[in-house]
Amino acid sequence: MSRLRSDRVLSFVLNAAALLCGALVLGIVLFLSIEAAPTIFSGKISAFFTDEKWQPGSERDPQFGIFSMLLASVLITLLAAILAVPVGICGAIFRVFYAPESLAKWQDRFLELLAGIPSVIFGFWGLSVIVPFINRYHPPGQSLLAAGIVLALMILPTIALTTKSALTAISPSLMAGAAALGLSRPAQILQVAIPTARKGIAAGCALGLGRAIGETMAVVMVCGNIAQIPHSVFDPVRPVTSTIALEMGYATAEHKSYLYAAGLVLVLMTALFLLVRIRKGASQW
Amino acid sequence: MVESVVITGSTTVAPVVADAAKRFEENNPGIRIDVQTGGSSRGISDAKSGLADLGMVSRHLNTGEEDLSATCIAIDGVGLIVHRQNELKGLTREQVIQLYKKEITNWSGVGGTTGPVTVTNKADGRGTLEVFLAYTGLDSADIKADVIVGGNQQAIKTVAGNPGAIGYVSIGAALSEIENGTPIRLLESDGIPAVPAMVAQGKFPITRPLLLVSGGQNSPLVAEFLSYLQSEETRDIIESHLYVPVAK
């Protein structure tokens, strides 16, 4: 009898916690929608996609084009992934299959430390080191490239640590079997370990990308914040998050509503990304 | 019973008010003065809505804000900054306009050593941007910037890391960074050096008032604190932040 009751209590607590998580997400989306309502319902939101530029503060010709900023968000995230994913995965393979125990321990510590550094520190470091370095070759230095490098460093530990966990979780008998079949070390890793751990690795990459697309504080300092379509990695760009961070505290009325709407678009984009992943996960990953 | 005053708004004004508040609290036990930052716009809206007793604002009041009563506690100059390696002495208003519209893109065009100009601008809505627009007479859409920054610190860091950059920040903030060894220089504007003395004499062309605004009738305590901020007793605090006290 008492057991049944503790079961019920536990089940209630767990249900409530799960419900709260879901309700929070819905609540945030609802809040964004309400704040963005003036632009959405007046149809002004079309300016997001018809206006060419983002110049909300102009008195002569205010424009609210968001395309270049969405593009920037995507490009920065992609660049960070291109830089961080190979390094993260290769680093994890080294850590699990090649590194001596003493070194592996230190690698874990350093990655955990890297993951714990606040993003504003990454931003300041990028602004003081990366940006002046790029500036010497391609002024102004604040650029798509600078943002990509800083973000890559920030998501590297996520990717490396999750990949490491996925690789260490492989059953030892599987690896022993591969070795017994006479497979070479690289073949064991590439043909057996990676395919077995691919779900975990993919999850790590997705977590990293999710962080990259939403990262704000570090990016705002190094990306240059010019809302334009970049012609090279050395051009400054302005992702959606930067715009919100730079302008939200200072915006009024219509401008503010546009910023909330931009936030809503970003959330929907992230949701779309997750949806694609879930779909893919169901069939293949 | 503790009497308290809530003050919110501009990050430029807050350090001065916070220091003065501390001294005021020491002299008047039993009184609490709560200073919170959040930008000039928040200072205005909190004062209007009554959320705060006083709002801090670091620019002139715009149309639609004249119903607030404003008290000027100090004046701040906004100076143009470049990297320390840039040997240019100063710029005229015309030259500043040409640089920010990208009609001139090389320092040689304004009498400096050859090299590309990196134009640093503030994000829309910032008090300093509005002061700069008022000085140049430009619309924010006219400005073709290479880098857009948020606060003074980011502007200073950006210019310090780029020998070809130009930006504009509060003179007080720039001077204290220069004292700390940050490699930037303040330029003369229209031939006037960017120093507090020139701002005090009203000669420096780009200035802004540091205001405290309130929506309705001030309580006796608030009125007392306001006159305290304008008195000789807080002059040293204002000067220590490198702002210019208002002569009474």
Side-chain angles (χ1 to χ4, degrees):
Chain A
M1 184 64 200
S2 79
R3 183 163 200 183
L4 200 64
R5 199 158 124 209
S6 71
D7 262 5
R8 235 186 266 154
V9 170
L10 182 66
S11 134
F12 174 77
V13 169
L14 296 181
N15 274 325
L19 208 65
L20 185 70
C21 293
L24 273 177
V25 175
L26 285 183
I28 288 171
V29 172
L30 192 70
F31 167 75
L32 285 176
S33 309
I34 291 170
E35 292 288 344
T39 39
I40 295 175
F41 288 118
S42 62
K44 281 186 186 154
I45 195 160
S46 62
F48 267 1
F49 305 101
T50 52
D51 281 2
E52 198 182 324
K53 296 178 191 156
W54 177 267
Q55 45 191 41
S58 168
E59 280 172 19
R60 195 185 57 218
D61 178 26
Q63 289 198 24
F64 297 92
I66 198 185
F67 176 74
S68 65
M69 303 195 289
L70 285 174
L71 183 71
S73 286
V74 171
L75 286 178
I76 289 178
T77 307
L78 276 181
L79 184 61
I82 290 170
L83 296 174
V85 168
V87 179
I89 294 180
C90 293
I93 291 174
F94 170 77
R95 152 74 179 76
V96 175
F97 297 107
Y98 290 99
E101 193 48 41
S102 54
L103 190 64
K105 209 171 66 190
W106 280 103
Q107 190 179 338
D108 286 353
R109 295 281 172 285
F110 272 106
L111 281 175
E112 280 157 16
L113 185 66
L114 196 61
I117 294 176
S119 59
V120 67
I121 307 284
F122 274 104
F124 254 115
W125 175 79
L127 188 53
S128 327
V129 179
I130 302 280
V131 167
F133 179 77
I134 299 175
N135 173 255
R136 263 188 272 159
Y137 305 97
H138 279 273
Q142 273 89 346
S143 54
L144 177 57
L145 181 64
I149 292 173
V150 169
L151 265 189
L153 277 172
M154 296 181 65
I155 64 174
L156 181 65
T158 313
I159 295 171
L161 290 170
T162 336
T163 305
K164 182 208 96 181
S165 306
L167 289 176
T168 38
I170 297 171
S171 144
S173 62
L174 201 62
M175 295 309 288
L181 283 172
L183 287 180
S184 68
R185 197 66 165 147
Q188 290 171 29
I189 292 166
L190 292 176
Q191 313 282 332
V192 179
I194 302 267
T196 315
R198 68 179 187 281
K199 253 190 187 169
I201 296 173
C205 295
L207 269 179
L209 291 191
R211 177 167 188 202
I213 202 163
E215 176 50 43
T216 310
M217 275 321 290
V219 173
V220 78
M221 292 199 211
V222 298
C223 68
N225 299 311
I226 306 294
Q228 63 176 4
I229 293 168
H231 297 292
S232 80
V233 289
F234 300 109
D235 280 350
V237 291
R238 169 190 274 211
V240 182
T241 48
S242 284
T243 305
I244 298 176
L246 279 173
E247 297 176 3
M248 188 56 93
Y250 301 83
T252 44
E254 192 182 43
H255 181 190
K256 197 164 202 161
S257 178
Y258 271 109
L259 288 177
Y260 278 111
L264 192 63
V265 171
L266 192 65
V267 171
L268 293 179
M269 221 168 82
T270 316
L272 206 69
F273 169 71
L274 282 175
L275 213 66
V276 171
R277 206 177 93 72
I278 291 168
R279 276 277 168 83
K280 266 197 123 178
S283 63
Q284 187 207 342
W285 283 6
Chain B
M1 171 65 190
V2 177
E3 266 194 286
S4 73
V5 180
V6 177
I7 305 175
T8 67
S10 161
T11 45
T12 310
V13 190
V16 178
V17 176
D19 282 358
K22 208 187 259 171
R23 197 180 285 177
F24 191 76
E25 285 173 343
E26 278 166 17
N27 299 341
N28 303 274
I31 286 172
R32 258 193 60 78
I33 296 180
D34 188 8
V35 182
Q36 298 167 12
T37 58
S40 294
S41 309
R42 178 165 171 217
I44 299 254
S45 69
D46 283 359
K48 270 188 179 170
S49 68
L51 271 179
D53 298 300
L54 292 169
M56 299 176 281
V57 180
S58 58
R59 56 167 170 78
H60 290 281
L61 293 183
N62 293 334
T63 41
E65 296 166 359
E66 291 96 343
D67 52 326
L68 295 164
S69 63
T71 311
C72 181
I73 59 164
I75 296 180
D76 178 32
V78 173
L80 291 153
I81 53 169
V82 292
H83 194 274
R84 192 160 57 199
Q85 286 169 12
N86 190 328
E87 282 163 2
L88 194 73
K89 196 154 177 271
L91 289 168
T92 64
R93 181 172 164 274
E94 269 316 303
Q95 289 173 321
V96 173
I97 293 172
Q98 286 169 324
L99 286 173
Y100 271 80
K101 285 173 90 171
K102 287 258 163 181
E103 288 167 2
I104 296 176
T105 55
N106 197 300
W107 283 108
S108 59
V110 289
T113 18
T114 307
V117 180
T118 299
V119 173
T120 308
N121 195 27
K122 290 271 174 106
D124 270 331
R126 302 272 163 165
T128 330
L129 171 65
E130 289 183 35
V131 175
F132 181 76
L133 291 178
Y135 166 66
T136 54
L138 293 171
D139 182 271
S140 73
D142 296 330
I143 293 180
K144 304 212 171 15
D146 296 302
V147 179
I148 291 176
V149 296
N152 280 334
Q153 276 309 316
Q154 201 187 347
I156 289 168
K157 266 266 180 222
T158 298
V159 173
N162 182 339
I166 180 168
Y168 53 88
V169 294
S170 158
I171 290 179
L175 286 175
S176 56
E177 281 291 327
I178 291 170
E179 269 176 33
N180 289 333
T182 309
I184 57 166
R185 278 183 53 236
L186 275 160
L187 292 179
E188 290 183 357
S189 283
D190 302 326
I192 311 290
V195 291
M198 287 295 145
V199 177
Q201 290 171 33
K203 286 187 181 153
F204 192 73
I206 325 172
T207 59
R208 58 173 165 182
L210 305 187
L211 305 174
L212 284 174
V213 298
S214 59
Q217 193 65 43
N218 290 332
S219 72
L221 178 59
V222 171
E224 194 190 333
F225 184 62
L226 271 182
S227 63
Y228 179 72
L229 276 171
Q230 293 171 290
S231 70
E232 281 298 315
E233 290 168 81
T234 53
R235 194 184 175 90
D236 61 313
I237 293 179
I238 292 169
E239 282 174 346
S240 75
H241 287 276
L242 301 169
Y243 298 131
V244 177
V246 186
K248 260 220 149 174

